[in-house]
Amino acid sequence: MTTLERTVPVRVLAADPFLRAGLESALYGRGEFTGADGGVAVLAVDEVDDAAVDAIRTAKERNATVLLVTGKVDAPRAARAIEAGACGVLRREQACEQTLVSAVRAAATGHGTMPPDLLSDLFDARQAAPAAPTLDARERDVLRMVADGHETAEIASALAYSARTVTTIVHDITHRLRLRNRAHAVAFALREGLI
């Protein structure tokens, strides 16, 4: 095994003091990890619930790379942890010293860790998920102007379209994305980063 050329600050976060002590013992006794903030946060939780997601976000806000060690995890919960900012997920029963050290090393260098079965489930779920909505350039231009408060005639004049074309573009967007109206279309496009 290769060691990192520098010591890596690692903070173990666990509500259970015995679990925290065990994780710290496995990591801090090696010489390559120091108990400090600013590097990797090893967050040990029973399950990925709202409290765990909040803890991941808090650690990320403190510029830590988060490695989640959890008792209960499935693909949707792993996805939730990753969306919150975790770079890796380990099941508690698989977190022996060697696996834990390897996962912390990976996190310290910006790489993630995931049990193979969870990774496979996440890929399967991603493939089954519907494609993310997209807008073409013309639709983005129209929605930007709607977002800026322009009326149909103003948009048509500015973009050299007929008013009917502008109305059709907005209708197509709202129909295709199943939105209620222009305001909903603008809100959706902004939230999804489409405009």
Side-chain angles (χ1 to χ4, degrees), residues 55 58 71 77 89 104 118 121 130 139 147 155 159 162-163 173 180 186:
T58 300
R77 290 178 182 173
V89 177
V104 171
L118 276 181
D121 290 348
E139 292 170 331
I155 298 169
L159 298 177
S162 70
I173 294 168
R180 290 184 301 276
V186 168

Side-chain angles (χ1 to χ4, degrees), residues 65-136:
T65 301
V66 181
L67 172 64
L68 183 68
V69 179
T70 182
K72 297 177 186 174
V73 67
D74 54 15
R77 290 178 182 173
R80 189 171 179 213
I82 292 166
E83 288 169 4
C87 80
V89 177
L90 282 179
R91 287 191 179 99
R92 190 177 295 167
E93 67 269 10
Q94 297 170 329
C96 66
E97 183 175 343
Q98 181 181 2
T99 305
L100 179 63
V101 167
S102 181
V104 171
R105 285 178 180 155
T109 58
H111 296 90
T113 302
M114 182 77 58
D117 63 304
L118 276 181
L119 192 57
S120 176
D121 290 348
L122 285 170
F123 279 128
D124 291 346
R126 179 69 178 155
Q127 288 176 343
T134 59
L135 298 174
D136 63 28

Side-chain angles (χ1 to χ4, degrees), residues 153-167:
E154 294 173 312
I155 298 169
S157 176
L159 298 177
Y161 298 148
S162 70
R164 184 174 182 172
T165 299
V166 172
T167 302

Side-chain angles (χ1 to χ4, degrees), residues 130-131 133-135 169-186 188-189 191 194:
T134 59
L135 298 174
I169 290 170
V170 173
H171 176 268
D172 289 348
I173 294 168
T174 57
H175 181 72
R176 185 177 75 240
L177 301 178
R178 296 183 181 148
L179 305 169
R180 290 184 301 276
N181 52 38
R182 292 166 65 120
H184 191 198
V186 168
F188 177 84
R191 186 174 57 247
L194 299 174

